[in-house]
Each structure stands twice: as C-alpha cells, then as structure tokens.
Amino acid sequence: KTFSHEMVSLRLIDAVLEHLGLEIDLDHLDEPLREIGDHGYEATSFKSFASDDQVLTSRDFVFIKELVNGKPIPEIGRKVGETGFVGRTDWQKEWMYGIVANDHSGLDVDKMDYYARDSRRSNVGTDRVDEVLIRNVRVAWGDCTKEHGHCPICRQNDGRRPRSHLMLCYPEKRVLNVFNFFKKRYDMHSAVYQHKAVTGASHLVCDIFKHADPWFRLKALPPKSLRQDETKHRPPLRALPISRACMHDAAILGLVDAVIYQIYNSTDERLQTAAELASRYIHRIPYDCSLNFKVNRSDPEDLKRFHLDKTEIVHQLLELSHDTKSTVDLKESDIVVEKTKIHYGRKDKNPMESIRILKKAQLSKLGNVPMDLPLAEKVDIDKYEEDMPRRFQKFLLRIYCRDKSKAALLRQVAIQWIATPVEDLQSSSISMKEEQEQYEDSPIYDDDDATGRTSTNPAYYPSIVSQSPLQSPPAFDYVCDSLPTAMSDLA
C-alpha cells in the first residue's frame, strides 16, 4: 500500500551505486562515498562537473535522491537527526528542489519531459513543451501551498520568512501558458494513459502476472562488484515471484517487457493459463470495454452509483444477467469493474491555486539578495474564469469483460444496470450477499505469509475464483485491479 514509483527510483539509485561497489555513507555525509566489495570503483573517481578537483560526497547523492523525491526523505532524516532536507540544508537553495519534482506547484521538468516524450510517440497533441515555461521561470518568495502543520520545512525556525519558501514562480503574463500545460497533461491522460483500451490491456497484464505468480520466478543476483567477494556484503538472494519483485532492487531490474514473452514461451504446464493470456496480449486482444460511463458529478444518482463497492456492482450485474434468460452463463470471474479519476494534477482543485506569480512591478527586484527577493502572489482565478473549466476532475466508471464470447451479453446488462435506479439495484442484491457468505467457509491460504494468516474474501482473486487442476492458490493477496491507476501514477 505504500508502494510508489518515487520509492523505486530512490532504491535504483542505491542499486546503481552498489553495482559500482559504492554506497552512501550517512555517518560521513561530507566525505566521498563508502567503497564496498573488492571489485568496484574508487569513490574519488566521481567528480563534480564544475571542477575536476571536487569529489562528489555522500551528501551530494542524498541531494540527488531528494531532488527525485521532491521533499525530505524521512528515513534519511531520522538517521542523521534532521527534519528537513539533508542534501542541501541552506534555506537559500531550497528552490532547487522544485526543478525535478515540484512539491509546491506540481509543475516540473519531469512532467514536461514525459509529456514531450509520450505525445511524440503516441502522436497525440504537440510533442513540444512551451519554451516560455523554461525561459521565464523565476526564483522568489511564495506562501506555502500546504495546509498549516503539514510542511516539514515550515516547522523549522531557521531565519527565513515564516510560512514562506524560495520557490519557482512565473511572471503574471505567463499564467495561461502554465495552465495550458496542465490542460495538455490532462488531455494525455484522457487520450492515452487512461484510455479504455489502454486500461483494458493493463487489466490483462495484471491477470497474466496473477496466474504466473505462484510458479514464475525472477532471478535476483548480488551486485557485480560483490559476486566474487568471499566476505559478501549480503547473502545471495533467492529467486522472487513477480509480486515480490518490487521489494528488492536486484529483482525489479528483471521485471521488463520480456517477462510476458518468457511466460508465453514457457513449457511449464502450470503456466498454461498465464501463457494463453500472454498470447492474447501479444496479439493485441485486450479485454472488451462493455461500459464506459462518464459520471455526472452534479447528479446524486450518478455519484451514488460510482461509490458503490466493486464487488456489489459485480453482483448486481450478475443478478440482471439472470433476468435476460440468455443461454450464456456470465460469471463473476468474467467481470472487471474499474473506477477512474482523471484530473489536472490536484484532484478537484484548480492547479493554478498552487502557482505563484510575480507582478510586472516586482520583476525589477529579482536581482536582490535572497532575503529581499519579492513575494510572489497567488493567481487571481476570477480574472481567468473564461479560460478555465468549472471542474478539474472527472469520474469514469468502466466495466470490462474477460471472455470475448460474453462481451455482448455484459454490454447489454451494463446498459440496463446504468438505466436502473441505484435503490432498486441495492434491494435486488441483498440475496446475493447471502450467497457470497458461502465462500467464507473456504479460506485461501497465502503461502508466502510466515504468520499463516488467511484471506477469505473471494474479491481478492477476481480472475481465479474457478481454478483449473493445474492451478494452486495465488502467492499474493492484493487486488491487482489498481494496476491501471498505478500505471497512470507512473506517468
């Protein structure tokens, strides 16, 4: 539940250093990296771009990790006794942390980079970022964008202006340029990242991994610099299942696109189901989207429908399918329910509320010493109401069918489900809840859990309720229906 792609990025930095026979030394931050193993690089070989005489220190690499994270890293702070940034403790350099991952406004070069990359490859939108966003950025004071008490930097008493930060700001004349970038990013999420066909393929990938997980393993080798060291830095790692790859950097490096082809080409009979799904993915046959419903957030009925539990929605669809008198037998394992939220970067909030702007009269003060730099202001949203939407987040409710032969029936049932009032649906599904209780008498054992804990809820395993003789209980107990959301987060 705490997994994030930033967390993996930070661990990969450590993995790269370890591969080179180096690691960050938190006990000696202002000294070169610590050398580990007998076959790595010398720490003094890492020099600064500014000067060949300046060796990069452990503090410099902590700074790099904090740049990627965009905010202080609690684990590092606890070890060195700091509550704020460790890489650069001087408050005059705080604005640097807004370049890669801007925790104040959300507008940073990371978003600009992936927008330019993905728009070019998908041929959606323009493949160029407005250059004025780079040329016109300025450093000035700005009021903190976080709620009082939620900012670790504001809680420090280090001589700076209270509740203010040195941050990246823009001249007032660039307000619409900034907003247009947020709009382009929103359009990319709608047209590419969270398009119904893309998330349909994401659910298919998730099912491939779920079926393969009990038997497919990824090798997790020690770093190259340590493999021949008799006094190993750590013991050799065992092969890990896909569901555990994110827990170790050496294994996650092996989780690449080729894994699906390895599953597809496997001769292991236990991987037969996963291989069939992999074949479907390779031949571009994603799950059919039987319903792609845009929720009217002004309609209480639509909101009530959107907030129904996914398992309850599945049961309601099955109940309606029984009334069609169709010869096709629609099962719970055939249905995938997805709830998608697409926004401008700040959920329901206008992203411009977090942007700080400089009036024309303030621009002449940008040459002052840091303490005397001008105070940037919030954007007057009312001045741009004709240029911005009233809402900044949309809700989509999607229903996918795993079995292509049943897609037409599920589409018919889904349309009927949308047309039926929520109260009528809930009253008809009461009997289905009693039927679900029968599953709870057959707990599914998680064989990777040393505590012997069990899970009795079949909703954890929506794609493998009915298992073939070649299948055994899955080795993990989290719901993979969240994969499309996770993939959009990566974007």
Side-chain angles (χ1 to χ4, degrees):
K1 293 181 179 179
T2 59
F3 177 86
S4 66
H5 69 276
E6 290 91 354
M7 177 187 72
V8 176
S9 298
L10 300 184
R11 284 171 47 188
L12 288 180
I13 292 174
D14 292 328
V16 170
L17 290 177
E18 194 173 22
H19 181 77
L20 299 174
L22 302 167
E23 69 178 8
I24 296 172
D25 187 355
L26 296 179
D27 295 325
H28 303 88
L29 283 170
D30 296 313
E31 297 179 9
L33 296 166
R34 179 191 293 143
E35 297 178 8
I36 56 177
D38 293 336
H39 308 279
Y41 284 76
E42 292 183 2
T44 55
S45 63
F46 283 82
K47 304 292 182 64
S48 168
F49 287 106
S51 171
D52 289 339
D53 297 330
Q54 185 177 351
V55 177
L56 293 179
T57 65
S58 292
R59 189 180 297 277
D60 292 326
F61 280 89
V62 170
F63 177 53
I64 293 171
K65 295 178 75 171
E66 289 175 335
L67 283 173
V68 172
N69 198 48
K71 50 184 175 289
I73 303 172
E75 295 79 6
I76 294 178
R78 284 193 294 268
K79 291 179 180 179
V80 300
E82 293 280 353
T83 57
F85 290 111
V86 176
R88 295 293 183 268
T89 56
D90 185 353
W91 59 264
Q92 298 184 22
K93 299 179 180 179
E94 182 191 355
W95 60 271
M96 295 181 179
Y97 288 101
I99 297 175
V100 179
N102 197 322
D103 196 41
H104 293 296
S105 68
L107 180 60
D108 48 58
V109 296
D110 178 53
K111 288 184 176 64
M112 295 179 189
D113 176 66
Y114 79 66
Y115 169 78
R117 177 199 66 197
D118 296 340
S119 60
R120 171 175 293 184
R121 294 181 178 179
S122 62
N123 200 28
V124 173
T126 60
D127 61 354
R128 301 187 67 178
V129 175
D130 193 344
E131 292 185 3
V132 300
L133 298 180
I134 304 294
R135 293 200 308 264
N136 292 167
V137 68
R138 300 290 185 265
V139 176
W141 288 101
D143 292 336
C144 186
T145 59
K146 300 183 182 300
E147 296 181 6
H148 186 68
H150 287 73
C151 178
I153 307 301
C154 287
R155 292 198 294 265
Q156 295 179 336
N157 185 15
D158 52 8
R160 75 180 73 201
R161 296 184 182 183
R163 290 285 295 159
S164 297
H165 302 267
L166 282 176
M167 60 175 68
L168 302 181
C169 310
Y170 284 93
E172 186 179 23
K173 65 180 181 179
R174 297 305 179 193
V175 167
L176 290 181
N177 297 91
V178 173
F179 177 75
N180 286 337
F181 177 79
F182 287 116
K183 177 66 167 62
K184 290 177 181 179
R185 180 179 176 274
Y186 172 85
D187 292 339
M188 280 294 292
H189 273 271
S190 297
V192 181
Y193 304 132
Q194 299 187 63
H195 187 274
K196 63 179 182 179
V198 174
T199 56
S202 299
H203 287 298
L204 177 57
V205 171
C206 185
D207 283 348
I208 293 171
F209 287 171
K210 285 200 294 185
H211 282 282
D213 193 77
W215 303 281
F216 188 84
R217 294 292 180 267
L218 294 167
K219 292 182 180 179
L221 298 175
K224 182 178 179 180
S225 60
L226 304 177
R227 289 178 198 167
Q228 301 174 9
D229 188 1
E230 304 221 348
T231 58
K232 295 187 182 296
H233 186 59
R234 65 184 181 192
L237 298 173
R238 61 182 177 85
L240 297 174
I242 295 173
S243 60
R244 301 292 185 261
C246 65
M247 299 175 66
H248 202 284
D249 45 48
I252 200 171
L253 291 174
L255 192 57
V256 295
D257 293 348
V259 167
I260 294 180
Y261 288 88
Q262 293 173 18
I263 295 171
Y264 171 68
N265 291 316
S266 175
T267 58
D268 189 335
E269 290 187 351
R270 297 173 300 178
L271 292 174
Q272 180 180 350
T273 303
E276 291 172 356
L277 292 174
S279 174
R280 182 171 175 174
Y281 176 82
I282 291 170
H283 292 91
R284 290 178 169 79
I285 310 175
Y287 293 149
D288 287 334
C289 184
S290 300
L291 177 71
N292 185 27
F293 179 68
K294 182 180 179 181
V295 177
N296 181 0
R297 299 182 61 193
S298 300
D299 185 352
E301 181 77 6
D302 276 11
L303 286 175
K304 192 184 299 183
R305 192 184 305 274
F306 181 82
H307 291 298
L308 288 172
D309 183 75
K310 290 183 180 181
T311 304
E312 186 176 0
I313 293 175
V314 171
H315 289 165
Q316 292 172 357
L317 292 169
L318 293 174
E319 183 74 11
L320 291 173
S321 71
H322 297 155
D323 298 336
T324 62
K325 298 180 181 180
S326 172
T327 57
V328 178
D329 183 19
L330 192 62
K331 299 179 180 178
E332 183 177 354
S333 59
D334 297 323
I335 304 172
V336 178
V337 177
E338 175 192 305
K339 298 178 182 180
T340 299
K341 297 180 181 180
I342 304 177
H343 53 82
Y344 280 67
R346 293 286 180 178
K347 297 185 178 179
D348 277 323
K349 295 182 179 179
N350 186 336
M352 300 304 295
E353 293 178 6
S354 299
I355 297 293
R356 299 293 180 258
I357 61 169
L358 293 163
K359 301 285 187 180
K360 188 174 182 180
Q362 295 175 299
L363 298 179
S364 60
K365 302 177 183 178
L366 291 173
N368 294 350
V369 296
M371 184 57 79
D372 295 331
L373 286 172
L375 178 64
E377 303 175 7
K378 295 182 179 180
V379 177
D380 185 358
I381 303 298
D382 294 338
K383 290 176 60 176
Y384 304 93
E385 60 181 356
E386 294 86 1
D387 302 296
M388 300 179 188
R390 291 183 301 159
R391 295 185 185 275
F392 296 90
Q393 182 172 222
K394 69 178 177 182
F395 293 176
L396 297 173
L397 184 59
R398 291 169 175 165
I399 297 174
Y400 291 89
C401 187
R402 288 188 171 96
D403 191 334
K404 202 167 183 65
S405 64
K406 301 177 183 181
L409 173 61
L410 183 55
R411 188 175 298 110
Q412 174 188 343
V413 170
I415 293 173
Q416 183 183 350
W417 179 76
I418 285 292
T420 306
V422 175
E423 291 185 1
D424 295 345
L425 291 169
Q426 290 177 323
S427 61
S428 65
S429 63
I430 293 177
S431 59
M432 296 293 291
K433 293 182 180 179
E434 298 176 355
E435 182 178 334
Q436 181 186 2
E437 293 177 358
Q438 299 175 4
Y439 285 100
E440 299 183 359
D441 296 330
S442 303
I444 301 178
Y445 180 67
D446 181 354
D447 61 5
D448 256 14
D449 192 338
T451 64
R453 140 179 86 82
T454 58
S455 174
T456 59
N457 186 356
Y460 280 98
Y461 314 103
S463 68
I464 41 182
V465 172
S466 300
Q467 298 187 13
S468 70
L470 293 176
Q471 292 174 310
S472 66
F476 57 103
D477 60 354
Y478 55 84
V479 183
C480 285
D481 285 345
S482 61
L483 181 61
T485 302
M487 293 181 72
S488 71
D489 285 344
L490 286 174

